[in-house]
């Protein structure tokens, strides 16, 4: 398991669903401190915890783990969302403002 990729994927899916990672981990039953333990201690979560978190976030365990098949990412998220999640909050706000403006303009 690539721990860094897993943590990044959890954070990305949480952001897309508007929930804080600690809340998602706690409410899923995986444990509130799961991600911090992975980042600081290098702990590897049990299969059960990965499944609980994936179910809570509405994704497959493969998507959460960032597994690939024949070089293709199984995640249904386009590359643009992955890049968006890596932007600073200010840059994300700027991009969202542009999207809102364009979306409203096209509705007229």
């Amino acid at each position: 398991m690539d721990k860094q990729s897993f943590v990044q994927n959890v954070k990305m899916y949480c952001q897309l669903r508007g929930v804080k990672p600690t809340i998602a981990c706690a409410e899923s039953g995986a444990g509130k401190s799961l991600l911090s333990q992975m980042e600081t201690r290098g702990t590897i979560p049990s299969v059960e915890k990965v499944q609980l978190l994936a179910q809570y976030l509405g994704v497959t365990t493969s998507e959460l783990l960032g597994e690939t098949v024949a070089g293709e990412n199984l995640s249904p998220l386009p590359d643009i969302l992955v890049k968006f999640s890596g932007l600073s909050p200010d840059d994300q706000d700027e991009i969202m403002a542009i999207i809102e403006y364009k979306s409203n303009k096209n509705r007229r």
Side-chain angles (χ1 to χ4, degrees):
M1 167 190 276
D2 180 352
K3 291 178 277 195
Q4 184 178 8
S5 177
F6 176 80
V7 170
Q8 181 181 10
N9 286 342
V10 170
K11 289 179 179 180
M12 177 185 63
Y13 284 113
C14 285
Q15 182 176 11
L16 291 171
R17 282 152 183 76
V19 63
K20 292 183 179 185
T22 52
I23 301 293
C25 289
E27 290 183 355
S28 69
K32 182 178 180 179
S33 61
L34 175 71
L35 298 183
S36 65
Q37 288 177 355
M38 290 180 72
E39 292 175 314
T40 58
R41 297 186 198 165
T43 16
I44 297 175
S46 67
V47 171
E48 179 185 12
K49 288 183 179 186
V50 173
Q51 289 172 333
L52 287 169
L53 194 50
Q55 182 178 7
Y56 179 88
L57 293 171
V59 298
T60 66
T61 55
S62 292
E63 289 167 336
L64 204 54
L65 293 169
E67 294 176 337
T68 57
V69 173
E72 290 186 22
N73 191 336
L74 294 177
S75 173
L77 297 174
D79 186 46
I80 193 167
L81 292 180
V82 174
K83 290 177 180 174
F84 179 82
S85 69
L87 296 173
S88 71
D90 288 341
D91 287 343
Q92 288 179 0
D93 289 344
E94 185 178 338
I95 297 297
M96 288 306 298
I98 293 169
I99 290 170
E100 288 295 325
Y101 171 77
K102 293 288 188 177
S103 176
N104 291 333
K105 183 178 174 182
N106 289 334
R107 289 184 192 157
R108 295 180 202 159

